[in-house]
Amino acid sequence: RAWADRWLSGEDRSETAAQAEAQAAATTWATAAEWAARAATTWAAEAAATRSSGVPAHLQASPHQPGVALLDDDLLTRWRPALAEAKRAGDWVAVSLHWGGNWGWQVPEQHRRWAHALVDAGADLVHGHSSHHPLPVEVYRDRLILYGCGDLLNDYEGISGNDEFHPDRAVLFRLQLSASGALRRLEVTACRRAQLRLHRADAEAAAWLAQILGLSQDPRLQLQANGPVDARPSNVTGPE
């Protein structure tokens, strides 16, 4: 604040320079205010893990010790009021879950049931992770469920034994939601890992990833086919 006051007052500066800088500051602040208004919706988040992801029971949080929240039906029931309150406040609600094993295509039915129950309770995004490769996505009641995002970068290159899962392939997810939290668009960028760097996946790998994710099932789910691997948003027209 003191720096901004000096900047606008032109202290130790010429009048012309002070006026120019004040105008620049006013323009910058107006732009910032505009972006703040456009991004007024904020995220509220909950997080948990399951025993199936490798979290041992002795690390579970309790009223008497810190630890990891382990997801079960009881925890989901306790979360319901918090999720509902976040939705009443106008927030987007994300639930991040470390669940399931490291390798395997099957999405457990219990994970589907929990994900649907979380959306029913108010979650706008279910963000699943643990598998080292991507798992299918689902749109349920216009809300996005990522059952397994896979690894983006890891140090497993050269380790054999799981070649059927193509461990060199990864995805970037970029989503756009409506003010209410409904999915407008999910853009998936197919990537290839090599030497701790991301590269654009070739057409065969991109098609394979699109099939694994199930992108053909909903027109809102799109594979980014061209351009460099870039996580920065472009042509943003609303909060993302």
Side-chain angles (χ1 to χ4, degrees), residues 16-186:
T16 300
Q19 290 174 346
E21 290 180 342
Q23 180 60 45
T27 301
T28 300
W29 289 351
T31 302
E34 178 184 347
W35 272 101
R38 291 167 64 183
T41 305
T42 57
W43 284 99
E46 297 284 359
T50 64
R51 292 287 304 277
S52 63
S53 69
V55 177
H58 71 272
L59 292 183
Q60 182 173 7
S62 74
H64 309 292
Q65 70 175 19
V68 178
L70 290 183
L71 180 64
D72 55 22
D73 290 336
D74 289 339
L75 178 62
L76 195 151
T77 299
R78 294 198 302 273
W79 270 356
R80 289 180 187 275
L83 298 179
E85 179 58 32
K87 288 304 295 180
R88 281 194 294 271
D91 289 335
W92 289 326
V93 178
V95 179
S96 185
L97 301 171
H98 196 68
W99 58 5
N102 294 148
W103 307 100
W105 298 122
Q106 187 67 33
V107 175
E109 186 56 36
Q110 187 178 52
H111 290 189
R112 295 186 186 275
R113 181 173 62 84
W114 277 335
H116 289 186
L118 287 164
V119 172
D120 291 339
D124 299 307
L125 171 66
V126 177
H127 169 226
H129 41 87
S130 181
S131 61
H132 293 311
H133 54 85
L135 290 174
V137 305
E138 181 184 1
V139 180
Y140 170 71
R141 296 184 58 188
D142 288 331
R143 267 55 183 181
L144 180 64
I145 300 172
L146 303 172
Y147 284 105
C149 292
D151 295 346
L152 187 60
L153 287 172
N154 61 35
D155 59 354
Y156 298 156
E157 188 173 350
I159 299 176
S160 61
N162 294 289
D163 295 345
E164 66 178 289
F165 300 104
H166 294 281
D168 61 326
R169 296 175 181 180
V171 289
L172 289 167
F173 296 102
R174 179 184 173 217
L175 61 151
Q176 186 178 36
L177 307 182
S178 71
S180 67
L183 180 69
R184 286 180 174 170
R185 173 186 171 116
L186 172 68

Side-chain angles (χ1 to χ4, degrees), residues 172 174 187 189 224 228-236 240:
L172 289 167
R174 179 184 173 217
E187 186 177 274
T189 301
Q224 185 177 330
V229 174
D230 192 345
R232 295 172 298 176
S234 60
N235 300 322
V236 175
E240 294 195 51

Side-chain angles (χ1 to χ4, degrees), residues 1-13 18 21-22 29:
R1 174 65 182 273
W3 171 80
D5 288 342
R6 286 176 52 206
W7 189 20
L8 290 175
S9 67
E11 181 180 331
D12 298 327
R13 302 175 185 273
E21 290 180 342
W29 289 351

